[in-house]
Amino acid sequence: MRIKALFQRLREQKRPALVAYITAGDPSPDRTADLVAALERGGVDLVELGVPFSDPIADGPVIQSASERALAAGTSVASVLEIAEQIRTRSEIPLLLFSYLNPILRFGVDALAREAKRRGIDGCLLTDLSVEEADKTVEAIRAAGLDTVFLASPTSPQRRLELVAKYSTGFVYLVSRTGVTGERQNIEASLETLVRNMRQATDAPLAVGFGISTPEQAAEVGRLADGVVVGSAFVRVIEQNLHSSDLEAKLEAFARSLSKALHGVAA
Amino acid sequence: MTGTEKPGAPAGVAAQPDAGGHFGPYGGRFVPETLMAPIEALEAAYLEAKADPAFQAELDDLLTHYAGRPTPLYYARRLSESLGGAKIYLKREDLLHTGAHKINNCLGQVLLARRMGKTRVIAETGAGQHGVATATVCALFGMECVVYMGEEDMRRQRLNVFRMRLLGARVCGVASGSRTLKDAISEAMRDWVTNISTTHYLLGSALGSHPYPMMVRDFHRVIGVEARRQILEAEDRLPDAIYACVGGGSNAIGIFHPFLEDTAVKLIGIEAGGQGANLGEHAARFSGGSPGVLHGAFSYLLQNDDGQISLTHSVSAGLDYAMIGPEHAYLHDQHRAEYTSIGDEEALEAARRLARTEGIIPALESSHAVAEAIRRAPRAKGEIHIVNLSGRGDKDIDIYRENFVELDAQGPDYAH
């Protein structure tokens, strides 16, 4: 229930959540817990731990490269679970497991849900699991006491937004624009419509991601949504400092620049 | 897709997927939400077009006058006699415009794209045959065309890269992963999710999210429909066995599907055995893989213990892919079709044999099916076998040269 509690607390504080995506195991599995700690120090409220996948069709080049680095470093679903456990020994930050479906199927959905819960993960988002195919998976994940978060997109008609809302607990993840993950110059005007339509379908918190990379963009989106997801921009900081002892400090500083921009911004 | 005979199957084997695109447990729709609405729109447009006689008439006209249908069903007398067993017929898809069966599906889908108001078409290609067919139909209809192709495949299939460019398409090399078909599909999906309002993704095999496996199959059913009619005309009976190579499985499902109900007809799909049985050395999904999700569908897949997609190998770029189309997975589990594999060397040898006995140089993909027929025919005296010769070998000449070096020696033959 860490996710629910987080959004309740932030609603009282009248500020949106800063959500960070990083690929677990990038640059190596033994670094990830420290990177998450740095993100938390910088003001990140929720972390999406990405499970690396060989064929990440929804991701742009930055996260594709992160996946390749993580896999080359030997990262597996089992090691992502271990990473979560390490994080949990020293932090209560909500953790969302973010994965393509196949590694989870291979691990076994029931086993994954059980293990994820045991290690301190709070919810799962499976990128290529459509709501149409989700019944059994959602049942297993919820039975273990985890949240299930689904994506909604500017292309989703109202009927689909309602389905996505129905299958989501904790929050709903709105994709700000069509396309793959990656930084962009502008936030699209269609986002406002998507947020408005989704609010009609659910009272759950709405987090918005894809393409948000600067404090200004974060603030702009934060005025509309309950959470702002930044992924590729964090992963790029990791990519640019792979061998630098300053990596944690730089991640923390970047997180701080984003979280500052979200203070005093209320949806 | 001549709709003159009814699709069907024996009791227990469904000829059509359910409403969600499932063939038994396989298929379905496993894509990010952004693609779901476009895929639903595609399905609706396809079902509407399928029921529209004007659409069918235009497609039939193009298949006849542009692509060159019907293709012959040719009795390969010398090949058959040299094997001393079954009579082997070749379904000559290699004689189609652009040199392979791929054009059947491309014509269907480009008409559909135009009907949906799309102005831009993207495609993936492995061997380049689907890329060439896509570039061809885009030229014919004046559409912008972008083809994604793994850099390894671009190297292996240089001639087809040039053909696509000559036809006005842009060929985008894909440098990620294994730099083959799987990476080209991933990149095409990324393009599609970015440009969905203008763009139709002309997927080239019976793969991916529903409705693609059903739609691509429907556009290729004409192969089996013709073959069925032709063999009845020639022999007054149905064949005992049909062979087709299976990468994603479009030519195979196209020829198999109209025979599903004819349970006495053995349907044999041939995967790429590559260079060995270890993961990474082949593309034999049934013997070496297990069910999983890739590129929008649930089907048999080559993957490691951690659910990462394996690299594959085949001398034939068109068979070099980690997943098999979901309907094949279903036919496999239902035991309605049988799947086996042929290695690189045997496929090459089959190509040479067909060239020398029949004067036909097959595509390396199709050579896998020829090779399986060569294996089985000697023990099948009195039987009639059909091999779907899905493509011709022009595109593979460089690979044949590399593998038959003795034929490529300098100097005139009379000096030897």
Side-chain angles (χ1 to χ4, degrees):
Chain A
M1 294 293 104
R2 288 186 190 90
I3 294 174
K4 192 177 174 191
L6 169 72
F7 282 101
Q8 265 171 3
R9 194 177 76 236
L10 293 182
R11 195 168 282 183
E12 286 156 21
Q13 295 176 9
K14 293 192 184 336
R15 72 170 176 90
L18 176 59
V19 179
Y21 167 94
I22 59 171
T23 303
D26 171 35
S28 64
D30 58 344
R31 299 286 299 273
T32 304
D34 287 339
L35 301 185
V36 169
L39 291 170
E40 191 174 11
R41 285 196 300 276
V44 167
D45 299 299
L46 187 157
V47 171
E48 296 177 354
L49 271 185
V51 175
F53 184 50
S54 52
D55 297 81
I57 54 160
D59 286 301
V62 172
I63 294 178
Q64 286 178 48
S65 299
S67 258
E68 283 175 23
R69 288 192 298 272
L71 291 174
T75 312
S76 62
V77 173
S79 44
V80 178
L81 291 168
E82 281 162 26
I83 288 167
E85 193 169 15
Q86 285 170 30
I87 295 168
R88 208 38 97 214
T89 60
R90 49 176 154 154
S91 167
E92 282 299 305
I93 193 165
L95 293 174
L96 184 73
L97 192 75
F98 200 101
S99 185
Y100 289 86
L101 185 55
N102 199 57
I104 303 304
L105 288 180
R106 186 70 179 188
F107 192 89
V109 175
D110 291 317
L112 182 279
R114 216 170 36 239
E115 282 301 298
K117 179 68 182 177
R118 192 169 74 76
R119 315 292 180 109
I121 285 170
D122 302 293
C124 293
L125 190 159
L126 300 170
T127 322
D128 52 350
L129 179 64
S130 65
V131 289
E132 278 78 356
E133 302 285 354
D135 282 339
K136 279 186 192 158
T137 310
V138 163
E139 195 181 315
I141 295 173
R142 288 195 189 166
L146 299 174
D147 282 316
T148 53
V149 178
F150 280 82
L151 299 168
S153 155
T155 60
S156 312
Q158 194 65 26
R159 176 182 62 79
R160 297 200 58 83
L161 294 183
E162 279 161 20
L163 275 172
V164 167
K166 194 181 111 192
Y167 280 84
S168 298
T169 58
F171 67 97
V172 182
Y173 188 132
L174 306 187
V175 173
S176 70
R177 54 169 170 75
T178 61
V180 294
T181 57
E183 301 119 299
R184 289 292 189 283
Q185 295 294 321
N186 301 308
I187 301 298
E188 285 182 27
S190 60
L191 176 61
E192 225 172 308
T193 315
L194 175 59
V195 171
R196 198 169 50 239
N197 291 343
M198 201 67 195
R199 296 265 189 228
Q200 284 178 13
T202 181
D203 294 329
L206 307 182
V208 173
F210 278 44
I212 303 163
S213 59
T214 67
E216 296 72 28
Q217 289 172 333
E220 193 183 336
V221 171
R223 274 185 278 277
L224 296 170
D226 312 301
V228 177
V229 188
V230 176
S232 294
F234 278 120
V235 174
R236 188 183 292 281
V237 173
I238 296 173
E239 182 172 52
Q240 288 170 343
N241 296 279
L242 286 177
H243 308 293
S244 159
S245 55
D246 292 344
L247 171 54
E248 279 85 355
K250 285 186 170 152
L251 263 190
E252 182 181 337
F254 180 54
R256 184 160 295 119
S257 72
L258 295 166
S259 67
K260 270 190 181 165
L262 292 180
H263 274 275
V265 168
Chain B
M1 193 164 52
T2 49
T4 48
E5 48 58 85
K6 64 176 171 37
V13 178
Q16 300 298 338
D18 72 10
H22 301 96
F23 300 91
Y26 304 107
R29 289 178 159 149
F30 295 89
V31 291
E33 174 61 22
T34 302
L35 285 178
M36 282 303 294
I39 277 171
E40 288 177 346
L42 176 63
E43 185 194 8
Y46 171 62
L47 293 176
E48 190 192 278
K50 192 179 175 184
D52 177 358
F55 178 87
Q56 289 299 327
E58 186 172 13
L59 178 55
D60 286 346
D61 183 71
L62 285 165
L63 287 173
T64 304
H65 298 106
Y66 185 72
R69 300 214 74 91
T71 59
L73 183 72
Y74 163 73
Y75 172 45
R77 181 183 303 278
R78 291 197 68 228
L79 175 67
S80 304
E81 287 175 1
S82 77
L83 294 165
K87 283 179 85 172
I88 298 174
Y89 282 81
L90 304 175
K91 180 58 177 163
R92 298 292 309 274
E93 294 296 293
D94 61 312
L95 292 178
L96 282 174
H97 181 42
T98 73
H101 72 291
K102 296 289 186 187
I103 191 85
N104 301 326
N105 169 52
C106 287
L107 283 169
Q109 283 199 46
V110 80
L111 289 181
L112 190 60
R114 191 188 59 181
R115 197 180 165 98
M116 294 177 75
K118 307 290 185 186
T119 54
R120 180 173 177 269
V121 168
I122 58 170
E124 81 298 335
T125 197
Q129 289 305 95
H130 174 58
V132 167
T134 303
T136 298
V137 300
C138 287
L140 182 64
F141 285 89
M143 292 215 189
E144 184 187 345
C145 179
V146 176
V147 178
Y148 291 95
M149 188 169 190
E151 287 185 350
E152 169 64 14
D153 289 338
M154 286 180 76
R155 185 192 66 76
R156 287 194 280 190
Q157 304 285 350
R158 270 177 304 183
L159 184 64
N160 272 345
V161 173
F162 181 77
R163 289 167 80 195
M164 288 183 265
R165 288 178 175 153
L166 187 61
L167 290 159
R170 198 153 66 84
V171 182
C172 290
V174 180
S176 57
S178 55
R179 299 179 298 147
T180 61
L181 181 58
K182 126 182 132 67
D183 312 287
I185 295 179
S186 293
E187 206 54 35
M189 289 183 80
R190 293 184 186 111
D191 179 314
W192 197 32
V193 78
T194 309
N195 301 297
I196 35 188
S197 59
T198 59
T199 300
H200 173 67
Y201 179 16
L202 208 167
L203 184 58
S205 196
L207 291 167
S209 170
H210 181 64
Y212 282 105
M214 172 184 79
M215 176 172 74
V216 173
R217 175 201 72 195
D218 287 350
F219 287 136
H220 284 304
R221 283 187 87 249
V222 63
I223 306 171
V225 170
E226 284 176 8
R228 198 172 187 284
R229 190 182 67 227
Q230 289 165 322
I231 199 71
L232 288 174
E233 280 166 12
E235 296 281 350
D236 205 26
R237 74 174 181 91
L238 290 172
D240 298 285
I242 297 175
Y243 305 89
C245 63
V246 188
S250 67
N251 89 80
I253 203 71
I255 196 165
F256 288 175
H257 199 261
F259 291 91
L260 285 186
E261 240 182 13
D262 307 313
T263 45
V265 180
K266 259 188 274 180
L267 306 174
I268 304 155
I270 296 94
E271 300 181 276
Q275 293 183 329
N278 296 323
L279 207 54
E281 293 178 346
H282 63 85
R285 287 69 47 102
F286 287 122
S287 59
S290 53
V293 166
L294 177 67
H295 293 147
F298 181 65
S299 186
Y300 280 79
L301 180 61
L302 290 166
Q303 54 182 324
N304 70 14
D305 290 341
D306 207 38
Q308 305 296 335
I309 311 309
S310 303
L311 299 186
T312 50
H313 167 81
S314 171
V315 68
S316 142
L319 303 184
D320 196 353
Y321 180 61
M323 184 178 252
I324 193 161
E327 193 165 7
H328 287 291
Y330 174 67
L331 295 179
H332 169 269
D333 284 11
Q334 295 292 318
H335 306 290
R336 178 61 193 95
E338 173 192 343
Y339 296 84
T340 180
S341 63
I342 287 285
D344 288 353
E345 216 167 295
E346 204 173 337
L348 285 160
E349 213 33 68
R352 173 148 64 180
R353 183 162 187 156
L354 190 67
R356 301 233 165 148
T357 54
E358 297 293 343
I360 296 170
I361 301 173
L364 267 165
E365 291 76 16
S366 321
S367 303
H368 287 71
V370 175
E372 186 65 25
I374 290 172
R375 273 193 187 184
R376 297 193 189 205
R379 288 175 279 121
K381 189 94 184 154
E383 292 192 4
I384 295 166
H385 292 185
I386 297 177
V387 176
N388 196 16
L389 204 69
S390 55
R392 60 176 174 246
D394 306 40
K395 70 180 175 64
D396 294 317
I397 291 301
D398 283 345
I399 298 168
Y400 288 135
R401 284 180 71 179
E402 284 168 24
N403 284 278
F404 300 128
V405 280
E406 70 283 7
L407 304 179
D408 204 29
Q410 289 188 349
D413 280 352
Y414 59 75
H416 286 239

